[in-house]
């Protein structure tokens, strides 16, 4: 079992940057692939990025590719999402999730979820 807590969200102007962190409890963090998802007002939850347990495979949604970077530090039980060149369209609640089975792009493939952190990008 993994408990996840996101942090680092906030209000930022368009073009600015934020770094989100996801802290995991337990000693099994390195066994999981990690994903980032977001949900904007009135929209469905969408895939943002995913990273394999050993960081050898990293995937990004087209909407964020080239602007966002995810990384993980297994000894610290933490995964990060660096967001650069933020746009108002990036405004959403961002969630981290852990998958014990696959480097998935879909919500149902993840076993554990954090409660989310709000990111608001103003124009």
């Amino acid at each position: 079992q993994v408990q996840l807590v996101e942090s680092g969200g906030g209000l930022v102007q368009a073009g600015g940057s934020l770094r989100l962190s996801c802290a995991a409890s337990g000693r099994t963090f390195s066994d999981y692939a990690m994903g980032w998802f977001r949900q904007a007002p009135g929209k469905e939850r969408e895939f943002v990025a995913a990273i394999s347990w050993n960081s050898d495979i990293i995937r990004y949604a087209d909407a964020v590719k080239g602007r966002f970077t995810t990384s993980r530090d297994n000894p610290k039980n933490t995964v990060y999402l660096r967001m650069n060149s933020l746009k108002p369209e990036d405004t959403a609640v961002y969630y981290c999730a852990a998958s014990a089975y696959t480097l998935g792009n879909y919500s149902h493939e993840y076993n554990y979820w954090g409660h989310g952190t709000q990111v608001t990008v103003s124009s």
Side-chain angles (χ1 to χ4, degrees):
Q1 187 173 1
V2 177
Q3 303 293 329
L4 306 173
V5 180
E6 303 95 337
S7 63
L11 176 65
V12 64
Q13 292 184 331
S17 299
L18 285 173
R19 189 184 73 164
L20 306 183
S21 298
C22 176
S25 64
R27 295 172 292 177
T28 60
F29 176 74
S30 62
D31 294 334
Y32 293 85
M34 298 295 297
W36 288 97
F37 292 79
R38 67 186 183 185
Q39 189 165 20
K43 294 188 176 182
E44 296 181 350
R45 186 170 298 183
E46 67 173 332
F47 169 77
V48 175
I51 183 169
S52 63
W53 72 272
N54 60 353
S55 301
D56 64 335
I57 302 174
I58 302 175
R59 298 173 181 170
Y60 299 96
D62 289 342
V64 306
K65 193 171 185 178
R67 299 188 297 119
F68 291 11
T69 302
T70 189
S71 60
R72 65 191 295 166
D73 188 337
N74 288 342
K76 295 182 178 180
N77 289 352
T78 303
V79 63
Y80 304 96
L81 184 69
R82 168 63 71 179
M83 305 183 294
N84 295 324
S85 301
L86 282 163
K87 306 174 181 179
E89 305 94 278
D90 296 318
T91 295
V93 177
Y94 284 72
Y95 301 88
C96 66
S99 172
Y101 307 107
T102 185
L103 189 70
N105 293 353
Y106 300 96
S107 297
H108 71 267
E109 297 176 308
Y110 288 81
N111 308 99
Y112 306 103
W113 292 82
H115 294 314
T117 185
Q118 176 71 47
V119 172
T120 302
V121 184
S122 63
S123 60

